[in-house]
């Protein structure tokens, strides 16, 4: 089971945003993050906790281990307003919606 | 460039069977190291992993759906298929065809197809 917090947040351009994902058990480092915009398929951002997928801007970063993980977005850009999901194995978190303040 | 294209009926009646096909281009479903499968998303809700097959056709299922689903691959057509029996309104969702490169890391997604379960 994966949980995320917050479920939603409002932010401004240039802000730093941190999203937390918690696992119900130790999942080592096998945690991925996805970004989904309305009407689009999800997009892989980060895998293995902190490895950026090719083509993903460096303002995205991930860290954590065991049961607690974070996705950080630095210098929030207009294209970053979206819903973010963490995932371990076949379980996705419930999502965190980032919208414009 | 890998492309995944879902196809199938957009409307299924309750208690009937949902059948979807994913046509794969730009890659082979028998390529070792990859898993091919499905993720769904009910309208306005989150993502749910349904299951995958590996290059040999061995299936891996979401335990909560295992009793109702069949996953298969057609190597001659380079397609994978999902069959879900006894559907209810709760199965209404956008169904995405996906390629998992191991450890459930899904780097490739189809555009998704909406399936509505309604009489």
């Amino acid at each position: 089971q994966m949980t995320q917090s917050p479920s939603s947040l409002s932010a401004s351009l240039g802000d730093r945003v941190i999203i937390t994902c918690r696992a119900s058990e130790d999942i080592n480092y096998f945690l991925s993050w996805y970004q989904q915009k309305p009407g689009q398929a999800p997009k892989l951002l980060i895998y293995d906790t902190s490895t950026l997928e090719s083509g993903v801007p460096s303002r995205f970063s991930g860290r954590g281990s065991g049961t607690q993980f974070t996705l950080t977005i630095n210098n929030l850009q207009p294209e970053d307003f979206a819903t973010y999901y963490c995932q371990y194995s076949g379980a996705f978190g419930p999502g965190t919606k980032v919208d414009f303040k | 460039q890998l492309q995944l294209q879902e196809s199938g009926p957009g409307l299924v009646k309750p208690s009937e069977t949902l059948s979807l096909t994913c046509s794969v281009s730009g890659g082979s479903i028998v390529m070792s190291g990859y898993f091919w499968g499905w993720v769904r998303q009910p309208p306005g809700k989150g993502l749910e992993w349904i299951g995958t097959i590996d290059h040999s056709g061995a299936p891996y299922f979401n335990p909560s759906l295992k009793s109702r689903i069949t996953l298969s691959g057609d190597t001659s057509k380079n397609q994978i298929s999902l069959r879900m029996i006894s559907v209810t309104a709760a199965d209404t969702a956008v169904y995405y065809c996906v390629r998992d490169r191991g450890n459930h890391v899904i780097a490739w997604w189809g555009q998704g197809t909406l399936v509505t379960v309604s009489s």
Side-chain angles (χ1 to χ4, degrees), chain B residues 34-53:
Chain B
Y34 294 102
F35 299 77
W36 307 83
W38 302 88
V39 171
R40 70 179 181 178
Q41 184 172 38
K45 297 187 178 180
L47 302 166
E48 181 178 32
W49 182 78
I50 297 172
T52 57
I53 59 171

Side-chain angles (χ1 to χ4, degrees), chain B residues 49-82:
Chain B
W49 182 78
I50 297 172
T52 57
I53 59 171
D54 68 14
H55 66 281
S56 70
Y60 303 84
F61 300 111
N62 182 327
S64 68
L65 298 171
K66 183 177 181 178
S67 64
R68 296 197 295 129
I69 62 174
T70 303
L71 301 175
S72 59
D74 184 332
T75 57
S76 66
K77 297 180 179 178
N78 212 35
Q79 293 177 336
I80 65 167
S81 296
L82 166 68

Side-chain angles (χ1 to χ4, degrees), chain A residues 30 32 34 36 40-44 47-48 53 85 87 89-92 94, chain B residues 39 41 45-49 62 96 101 103-107 109-112:
Chain A
F30 298 115
S32 301
Y34 299 83
Q36 187 180 33
Q40 296 184 18
K43 172 188 173 182
L44 176 66
Y47 61 97
D48 291 350
E53 177 69 356
Y85 295 93
Q87 178 217 21
S89 188
F92 289 93
Chain B
V39 171
Q41 184 172 38
K45 297 187 178 180
L47 302 166
E48 181 178 32
W49 182 78
N62 182 327
Y96 294 101
R101 62 180 186 225
N103 289 328
H104 291 84
V105 177
I106 301 172
W109 299 69
Q111 64 182 21

